[in-house]
Amino acid sequence: MGNLGKVVDGLLLLAFVGILVIVPLDIPDSVVPYDRNPFYKFYTAVSQDYLVLERPPFFMALMMLELFYLFPLAVLNIYGLLAGKPWFNSTCLIFGSSIIASTTAMVGDILGSGKPSAAFMARLYSPFIPLGVLAVVRGLVPLSCKAAPINANGPGLALKKKA
């Protein structure tokens, strides 16, 4: 995998840490009132994100999914990546597919909304789709890609030693 693998792992590590920072800030209103959440005030003032402002039920369900599913997966992925655990590929695959599915639903709603802030919001949410694809691809690639030795006589044909 080499240098490209290290770059991909570094990007994913940043994404996992970002999820650890962002998800707790999206805690539903029933846990921490939005008027007491400084991130909520700043974000809604800057972005005019109607999903966060209007809180449609599907979006709130996706926020709960992030809190109780993606957040623990991000913790596991950070540990698995740094410790070189063999199950990292599986959790990375699960993480990536979940990000792709939830972000696609949000971007689809944004693009179909016709709201004035839709273009800005689509640009804001869309980078998570390639990030999910990157996590899925990383989940499909083994943690260490040591090439098997190539036999000069073809695969499976070993040379007999002459005594």
Side-chain angles (χ1 to χ4, degrees):
M1 199 157 57
N3 290 335
L4 179 61
K6 290 178 183 179
V7 170
V8 168
D9 286 350
L11 288 172
L12 288 175
L13 184 62
L14 285 174
F16 300 145
V17 170
I19 292 292
L20 293 182
V21 172
I22 292 170
V23 168
L25 296 175
D26 284 340
I27 293 175
D29 191 32
S30 58
V31 179
V32 175
Y34 284 130
D35 59 345
R36 294 187 184 167
N37 185 340
F39 174 75
Y40 174 81
K41 289 180 180 179
F42 172 77
Y43 177 74
T44 55
V46 170
S47 69
Q48 294 300 307
D49 186 339
Y50 77 91
L51 291 173
V52 175
L53 289 168
E54 296 174 9
R55 299 188 291 266
F58 89 93
F59 181 73
M60 295 313 293
L62 291 175
M63 292 300 102
M64 296 304 283
L65 175 79
E66 285 184 3
L67 184 62
F68 294 111
Y69 186 70
L70 284 180
F71 187 82
L73 267 176
V75 172
L76 282 174
N77 282 338
I78 290 171
Y79 173 69
L81 179 63
L82 295 177
K85 295 296 181 182
W87 45 260
F88 171 71
N89 288 356
S90 300
T91 57
C92 196
L93 190 63
I94 294 166
F95 179 88
S97 57
S98 179
I99 287 283
I100 291 168
S102 62
T103 305
T104 301
M106 288 186 266
V107 171
D109 187 75
I110 290 166
L111 293 176
S113 71
K115 305 264 183 176
S117 62
F120 172 74
M121 287 176 52
R123 285 192 306 271
L124 189 66
Y125 282 82
S126 292
F128 288 97
I129 294 173
L131 175 70
V133 170
L134 186 65
V136 166
V137 169
R138 179 59 182 92
L140 294 172
V141 174
L143 196 55
S144 68
C145 291
K146 293 183 182 175
I150 298 174
N151 193 345
N153 293 331
L157 301 176
L159 289 176
K160 290 185 179 181
K161 288 186 179 180
K162 293 183 182 180

